[in-house]
Amino acid sequence: MTDAAKDAFVDALEVMPAQRRAFLEDRLGDDPPALARAVALLDAHERADQFMAAPTIATPSRTPETVGASLVGTSLGPYRLEEVIGEGGFGVVFRASQATPVERTVAIKVIKPGMTSAASVARVDAERELLARMDHPNIAKILDAGATPDGRPYFVMEHVDGSPITAYCSQRRLPVAERLELVRRACLAVQHAHHKGVIHRDIKPSNVLVTEVDGKPEPRVIDFGIAKVIEEPGDDVTRLTVTGHFAGTPAYMSPEQIASPASIDTRSDTYALGALLYEIVTDNAPFDHKRVREASIALLARIICEEEPPKPSTRYLRATDATDTGPRRLPPGFRNELDWIILKAMAKEPERRYHAA
């Protein structure tokens, strides 16, 4: 496969699924062989996603290249790869144990087999460099880097053994004040990233994990894989941005991420933090997850750019679960203060939002 086909496939994975084929056709329309190979790779990737979503016991049809199984049980320097814990378009994340010079559990992201084009390697290197810029207790740290025996780059990160922040709060039925404290610390982490010149672009529950340190909950912001560098157009790490196409998770995506992705700034992360806070304090997303997930591009744009979510206080009062014993009551300050803070953070126009996390 040519580098052009592989590079186009990797870039297509940053585009919403419904746009990917059109993206490849625009990118490779003048190179039919490369287009055919890129489309075949995309088809294989989408079939793998469907397979992974289905319940199964035996897994003989999983290929080592799909899930990174070929490396499980092997060692990279002092790190023994124990299991696959995550997989993206061009990288696989492993839980690993380190024996020397200290004993600890780490996470290692390794570029996938067949994804060693210059663009793919640059993406892994860029994410590693972005993480290396930051030093904050609520951001997962970069620890080491290297290459596999067959030349695939990897980097080693702090392993966060935790739950998505929304799940942690709801499972423990935390009072609103404790939920707000977790979000406050996540905001400080995002603000630190902004001060280092990095826009996360994909803040969502699964990228804000809560772990317990000495019995106390601590949020950790993870996954800067589609981050964008602020005002550094000459920097190689800006290759993470695909011009003219949006990247992110629709339920937490700011209007400008879908309407004008090239123009986003730190206020896009502010919007996502507002959407995250909305879900954390109400146990409901601002926009229905199923509706957003199944929406066409046109409907998705209309939802994100035009529709206003219910006030958080209204959504909070409507919410019930199996352990509720009666009508919910609003905590003090919820209607006047939290409603205002969350909806200001989620304002459709960036200039109406808070300018700092």
Side-chain angles (χ1 to χ4, degrees), residues 307-346:
E307 291 189 12
E308 296 288 350
K311 287 184 178 181
S313 58
T314 301
R315 184 65 65 82
Y316 179 89
L317 289 173
R318 290 176 183 170
T320 59
D321 61 40
T323 60
D324 282 336
T325 58
R328 282 187 164 190
R329 294 183 179 180
L330 285 174
F334 197 125
R335 178 174 280 120
N336 294 330
E337 296 179 22
L338 271 181
D339 276 351
W340 173 260
I341 291 168
I342 293 170
L343 295 179
K344 181 175 175 64
M346 292 185 64

Side-chain angles (χ1 to χ4, degrees), residues 255-268:
E256 61 270 24
Q257 277 181 271
I258 191 169
S260 182
S263 68
I264 71 167
D265 57 26
T266 57
R267 293 171 295 183
S268 188

Side-chain angles (χ1 to χ4, degrees), residues 56-273:
T56 184
I57 298 176
T59 58
S61 59
R62 292 187 184 184
T63 66
E65 291 191 1
T66 299
V67 298
S70 61
L71 288 179
V72 171
T74 66
S75 295
L76 298 175
Y79 310 105
R80 180 175 175 80
L81 306 184
E82 305 289 354
E83 65 172 334
V84 176
I85 58 175
E87 183 177 2
F90 61 95
V92 180
V93 182
F94 298 85
R95 178 179 61 82
S97 57
Q98 180 180 358
T100 58
V102 295
E103 293 186 6
R104 59 182 170 183
T105 300
V106 298
I108 299 182
K109 176 176 270 190
V110 184
I111 198 168
K112 286 182 176 179
M115 292 289 177
T116 52
S117 67
S120 300
V121 172
R123 289 169 186 275
V124 174
D125 288 343
E127 184 181 0
R128 182 189 67 203
E129 291 183 16
L130 290 179
L131 285 168
R133 291 182 179 204
M134 294 174 279
D135 182 15
H136 192 277
N138 299 113
I139 295 178
K141 295 177 174 61
I142 183 79
L143 303 173
D144 198 359
T148 64
D150 59 353
R152 286 182 282 152
Y154 68 82
F155 62 92
V156 183
M157 303 167 284
E158 172 189 5
H159 178 257
V160 182
D161 184 13
S163 303
I165 188 169
T166 48
Y168 185 91
C169 291
S170 61
Q171 289 167 3
R172 288 160 178 77
R173 296 182 58 79
L174 295 184
V176 170
E178 292 182 26
R179 299 181 187 215
L180 293 179
E181 175 58 22
L182 292 177
V183 176
R184 184 187 70 83
R185 280 180 274 173
C187 287
L188 291 174
V190 173
Q191 185 72 6
H192 176 81
H194 292 170
H195 283 160
K196 295 296 184 177
V198 179
I199 307 169
H200 190 287
R201 293 205 303 172
D202 198 21
I203 295 168
K204 57 185 178 181
S206 59
N207 283 341
V208 183
L209 301 181
V210 179
T211 187
E212 293 192 346
V213 179
D214 297 329
K216 297 181 180 180
E218 283 287 346
R220 294 282 193 280
V221 178
I222 66 169
D223 197 351
F224 285 76
I226 62 168
K228 179 181 178 181
V229 174
I230 302 170
E231 296 179 353
E232 294 190 37
D235 196 317
D236 284 346
V237 293
T238 58
R239 294 176 186 172
L240 290 170
T241 302
V242 181
T243 303
H245 295 270
F246 58 83
T249 301
Y252 309 92
M253 186 184 292
S254 67
E256 61 270 24
Q257 277 181 271
I258 191 169
S260 182
S263 68
I264 71 167
D265 57 26
T266 57
R267 293 171 295 183
S268 188
D269 281 350
T270 301
Y271 178 98
L273 285 167

